[in-house]
Each structure stands twice: as C-alpha cells, then as structure tokens.
Amino acid sequence: MLKKRKVLSQVSFNQKTDSDLAMSKQIQKKIGHYDKKSAQALIKVEHLQKIYNEFSSRQHVVLWDINFTVFQGDCIALVGANGSGKSTLIEILACVREASCGKIYYNLDYKIYPEEKIGIQFQKSSYPTGITVNNVIDFILDTHKIKLTLAERKELLHAFGLNDLAKENIRNLSGGQRQRVNVVLSILHKPQFLLLDELTTGLDIVSQNQILSYLKAFLNKHKITTIMSSHSIREMDTLCNRLIMIRNGYVMADARIDVIHKKFGSVETFLQKYMGG
C-alpha cells in the first residue's frame, strides 16, 4: 500500500495545446510509454502542480499537471529545457518544497517522515563558517546513526577526489569540489530513493569519470532507486534506464532509454528533435 504524503488544494489545470497533444501522441507512438507492471511502485505522483507567486499578479506556473510512477530499481533521467521545472520537481519530491496541488505517495520504509529514506544532492549548498568536510560527514553519520569503517570512509573520499580536502573548510572549496561533497552527503545513509540535480556540472572529465563509475556500482550494489535531473547525455547513458521529459509543464515523454537508442540512434538525437521550443 502506498503511503500518502499529502493531498494539496485543488487548482484548475491548463489544457495541453494542440501542438503538445500531437507531439505527445507522436512520441508515444514512436517509443511507447514506460511501464513495469511486475515491479514494486516506490513513488507515485498524481496531478502535481507548482505555481510561483500563486496569489499575486506575477503568478508563474512551472509545473501544470505532472503524473508518473517510480518503480523499484529505476534510474530515471529527468530532462527538459532550462526553466522547465526539473529542479523544482526534484525539491518537491525531496519534501523540501511544497507543490501547489496534487498528490505524492511514498512507499518507503520510513518511521515518521519520507525524508528519512531520501537522499538529495543540491546544485548549491551553504555551510556554516569553520566547518570542514570531515565535520559535515561526521554530522550526517551521527544524524542517521551510521557506522562507517575507516576503510569505507577512505574509499568514499578517494572515489570523489576528497582525500586531500577532508580537513579543509568547505567554504574555501571551489564550486566543483563542493559539488563532490554534496554528492557524498546525499548517499552516506544509503537512501532508498536518491535525487540528483545536475550531478557532474562544473566537474572536470577525470572527476566525472570517477563519480559516474563509483555511483553506478554503488546504486546497483545497494539497489537505490534514483531520479537525476540532467543535461548530460553521458550521465544518462552511464546510469539511467529510463527517461522522463518535461515540456510546457507536462510529462511529454516517459520511456526506456534502450528503446530511445533503438528508435533514434541516441538520446541526443531524440532530445534535439523533441525537447526544444
């Protein structure tokens, strides 16, 4: 039984334009619609809507009517043009931002709140003055009552290129270095459901290789279900089995990545054809 998080107020939905409807039908005819009837549903999103400045004249609708189900073991690439609402959706799923209306069901093994079993890597994070990488790792370990051996800690720091930075003040790190710290913090407690937002943005090619290689093995080993907002074809092809594309506030495509490759030759070709204006 899926555990209902919250039913929000009902707001009228904008109807898809004729062009959006035609495109949606064209995409579905070409690559089908993702479904794993035999798999366990972990997250279910129904009629999710997000309006910024909801009660002012500057009202801006980012997400009109989002519907999809996340199944156990999925690694989903969440794609869309800049400003399409990917980061907003990630934050809503992580329970750090409220939707304007809709329902989210979490079939996670939490005791009080879904957040207990969710990991999230934010694009940007701020930390108190004087906090080192080791300090914040220790805080997360203590919060979740996690036991990490010295060997496991060293392996983790090495995989993310943080060995020589463990005693550094986080505020003194570069943007790419902070990004690596944020990813580490998101997986320390081995969450059931992991949310990644622009995972390798700002990282050099060596760091990208290390992180993607480590994460692929880590997610498979611990059977962690993942959604990652991304513009990186490399991330999608390396980690993901499924792609969800948001366009004009709706889920315009939801399909297996191997099917996209079969029908279009590459994810990049598919996105160039359908993701634009």
Side-chain angles (χ1 to χ4, degrees), residues 235-258:
E235 288 178 10
M236 300 177 207
D237 284 340
T238 301
L239 298 177
C240 301
N241 67 307
R242 176 181 174 189
L243 179 146
I244 291 177
M245 182 177 76
I246 298 177
R247 190 174 188 273
N248 295 337
Y250 294 92
V251 172
M252 194 62 64
D254 184 356
R256 291 171 58 101
I257 282 184
D258 59 355

Side-chain angles (χ1 to χ4, degrees), residues 87 90-91 94 118-125 178-187 194-201 203 215 227-229 235:
S87 294
I90 290 285
E91 291 171 359
I118 296 174
I120 181 169
Q121 165 256 324
F122 294 103
Q123 283 191 55
K124 297 179 181 179
S125 297
R178 286 197 195 191
Q179 179 82 324
R180 283 180 265 156
V181 173
N182 293 341
V183 178
V184 168
L185 298 180
S186 74
I187 64 173
L194 177 64
L195 295 155
L196 303 171
D197 197 0
E198 303 295 346
L199 174 65
T200 60
T201 297
L203 301 183
L215 268 183
I227 294 181
M228 53 188 301
S229 167
E235 288 178 10

Side-chain angles (χ1 to χ4, degrees), residues 3 20 26 33 35 40 54-55 67 119-120 152 155 167 171 181 198 201 210 223 232 240 243 249-250 258 264 266 273:
K3 301 171 184 177
D20 285 339
Q26 183 184 51
H33 186 80
D35 193 8
Q40 179 185 11
E54 190 170 353
F55 303 105
N67 299 272
I120 181 169
E152 289 173 330
E155 180 189 10
K167 296 180 181 179
R171 288 198 168 191
V181 173
E198 303 295 346
T201 297
Q210 288 178 326
K223 297 179 173 58
S232 167
C240 301
L243 179 146
Y250 294 92
D258 59 355
F264 290 89
S266 69
K273 183 176 179 64

Side-chain angles (χ1 to χ4, degrees), residues 1 17 58 77 116 129 140 164 170 178 197 203 218 245 274:
M1 178 67 180
T17 65
R58 299 191 307 277
E116 298 164 20
T129 303
I140 297 296
D164 297 332
I170 292 185
R178 286 197 195 191
D197 197 0
L203 301 183
F218 186 87
M245 182 177 76
Y274 291 112

Side-chain angles (χ1 to χ4, degrees), residues 82-126:
N82 290 332
S84 62
K86 301 186 301 297
S87 294
T88 295
L89 180 55
I90 290 285
E91 291 171 359
I92 292 171
L93 290 170
C95 308
V96 298
R97 186 183 295 278
E98 284 285 357
S100 299
C101 82
K103 301 176 186 178
I104 304 176
Y105 300 86
Y106 293 91
N107 190 19
L108 304 174
D109 299 327
Y110 61 89
K111 294 180 180 178
I112 301 175
Y113 303 109
E115 297 94 314
E116 298 164 20
K117 296 297 181 178
I118 296 174
I120 181 169
Q121 165 256 324
F122 294 103
Q123 283 191 55
K124 297 179 181 179
S125 297
S126 60

